[in-house]
Amino acid sequence: MVKLNGLGNEFFILGGGSNVSFVEDYDGQIIRFEGKRVSVTEKEEDWFVEAEAGVNWHSLVQYLINQDIPGLENLALIPGNCGAAPVQNIGAYGSEFSDYCYQVHTTDLISRKYHVFDAIDCNFGYRNSLFKESANKALLITKVVLKLPKLWRPKLSYHGLNGLPVDATPKTVMEKVIQIRNNKLPDPKSLANSGSFFKNPVIDEEEVKRLRQTYSDIPCYSVDGTKVKLSAGWLIEKAGFKGARVGDVGTYINHALVVVNYNKATGADLLNFVRSIRDKVQLMFGVTLENEVLLMGRDGLITL
Ligand code: NAP
């Protein structure tokens, strides 16, 4: 963990908090950027949208769609703030933050230097970016700048959206995404959860061939011709954990990838439960699940 100059305390930059589980009482400082300004500039071919890090992501998506500025509709209802969006390169239904990122503005809390990253320099990957690297933990994201092309076509390849007509409007797509998410995912305000707990594993084509011999129906999505993405939710369901519950911690009844706290599950309960999922999946499939949700312990982030 990095230490703040002068103060000597450990600190952690928190966005909306929707992708972090505090499994112990963190013994450091929490820093949040609260700026909430949004501005839109229209150019000939694109809209440029500047949103400060404290803007709620879904509010931004709704605001833009209601202004007839399309592009972010598939990313509707993702919890959290704009400042967190580049960190894990949020994605859903075939769209990713990186598809629309133009710049990420940061302040280094140690050197106090302001730095603007162009999208190409953010090292975006699958639920990953340069901002996740431990060397960059002092970078406070203050603003994101999005570039939304006026030339728009709906992205309807994902199950649930593929029934929409090809001339569907951005608003129709957004409303469909909201409907699907509301049906499938628990609202964190009424049932505590941090969304998908594990990342979808990306493995070699060769390994998939091995898995197909035992599990012929295993869902696979080609990533780049040599790598293949598996569905973590499917693996967990096959391992018998869909709707499983141990005390107050469990997986959601409608979605095995979402771990929920039914009432008073402790950090230790959560860790024991998710480790048992990871171990069973490893044993059955030989595939290692990695947590997507950040786990915060007393001294900083902990590994599963
Ligand atoms: P799903 O339909 O049960 O599919 C399982 C996984 O397979 C998805 O996570 C998705 O990977 C992949 N997939 C499905 N159709 C695909 C296609 N046509 N092309 C490529 N990959 C495909 O998925 P789900 O759990 O309901 O989630 C739907 C979308 O919402 C996904 O994109 C998911 O990432 C997103 N989501 C994210 C969170 C979160 O907390 N991060 C929570 C819920 C849903 P990808 O994840 O790579 O898209």
Side-chain angles (χ1 to χ4, degrees):
M1 277 262 117
V2 253
K3 292 185 184 267
L4 262 184
N5 260 3
L7 297 175
N9 283 325
E10 292 201 338
F11 68 91
F12 179 70
I13 300 168
L14 190 69
S18 55
N19 203 43
V20 186
S21 277
F22 285 80
V23 293
E24 289 171 345
D25 286 341
Y26 174 52
D27 200 10
Q29 285 176 289
I30 299 288
I31 296 182
R32 294 187 70 190
F33 186 84
E34 293 284 352
K36 290 186 171 55
R37 277 176 297 194
V38 174
S39 65
V40 180
T41 309
E42 184 172 1
K43 299 279 183 184
E44 202 175 316
E45 294 184 352
D46 308 278
W47 281 281
F48 286 84
V49 178
E50 299 195 12
E52 285 189 308
V55 174
N56 174 269
W57 175 262
H58 179 60
S59 307
L60 179 73
V61 175
Q62 280 184 309
Y63 169 76
L64 293 173
I65 299 295
N66 289 333
Q67 301 290 313
D68 290 325
I69 301 175
L72 303 185
E73 53 286 337
N74 292 42
L75 301 175
L77 219 60
I78 295 183
N81 292 345
C82 289
V87 180
Q88 74 148 353
N89 187 19
I90 57 168
Y93 302 102
S95 270
E96 284 184 331
F97 175 83
S98 54
D99 298 339
Y100 303 100
C101 179
Y102 183 65
Q103 288 174 336
V104 177
H105 291 228
T106 64
T107 292
D108 188 309
L109 293 175
I110 293 175
S111 68
R112 308 293 158 116
K113 284 198 178 122
Y114 190 75
H115 186 76
V116 178
F117 289 86
D118 290 333
I120 188 97
D121 298 322
C122 295
N123 294 353
F124 287 122
Y126 179 62
R127 305 288 190 269
N128 206 3
S129 75
L130 152 154
F131 307 106
K132 269 197 171 177
E133 293 166 18
S134 55
N136 296 320
K137 286 297 174 206
L139 285 182
L140 175 70
I141 295 172
T142 54
K143 183 164 75 176
V144 296
V145 185
L146 305 169
K147 183 180 173 191
L148 303 174
K150 290 183 177 176
L151 195 63
W152 175 86
R153 248 188 299 151
K155 293 183 183 172
L156 304 176
S157 66
Y158 269 53
H159 179 68
L161 299 183
N162 52 10
L164 290 175
V166 283
D167 60 351
T169 65
K171 195 162 192 170
T172 314
V173 178
M174 179 180 77
E175 281 166 357
K176 191 68 190 174
V177 169
I178 292 173
Q179 186 198 13
I180 301 170
R181 291 188 72 111
N182 277 336
N183 285 341
K184 211 170 171 184
L185 298 166
D187 179 354
K189 289 193 187 113
S190 43
L191 184 56
N193 76 89
S194 301
S196 304
F197 190 87
F198 294 101
K199 294 184 206 173
N200 288 325
V202 176
I203 63 171
D204 288 333
E205 183 78 56
E206 284 306 309
E207 244 189 291
V208 175
K209 283 187 194 146
R210 172 186 64 78
L211 282 169
R212 276 216 194 92
Q213 287 169 4
T214 318
Y215 307 98
S216 56
D217 57 340
I218 189 166
C220 303
Y221 303 94
S222 176
V223 175
D224 59 9
T226 58
K227 298 270 182 195
V228 170
K229 181 179 67 182
L230 302 179
S231 161
W234 186 91
L235 298 172
I236 294 167
E237 190 171 340
K238 276 276 168 187
F241 280 97
K242 188 174 182 186
R245 180 170 175 171
V246 178
D248 271 341
V249 65
T251 55
Y252 189 51
I253 201 113
N254 290 338
H255 203 321
L257 192 49
V258 179
V259 176
V260 297
N261 187 343
Y262 284 101
N263 190 11
K264 289 187 175 159
T266 63
D269 296 338
L270 173 73
L271 287 178
N272 287 336
F273 184 68
V274 294
R275 282 176 178 148
S276 69
I277 294 179
R278 178 203 57 190
D279 293 347
K280 179 84 185 286
V281 167
Q282 180 78 50
L283 196 69
M284 270 181 79
F285 303 99
V287 172
T288 308
L289 290 181
E290 285 176 23
N291 50 309
E292 178 173 318
V293 173
L294 300 178
L295 299 166
M296 182 58 91
R298 186 173 308 282
D299 299 322
L301 290 174
I302 58 175
T303 46
L304 200 56

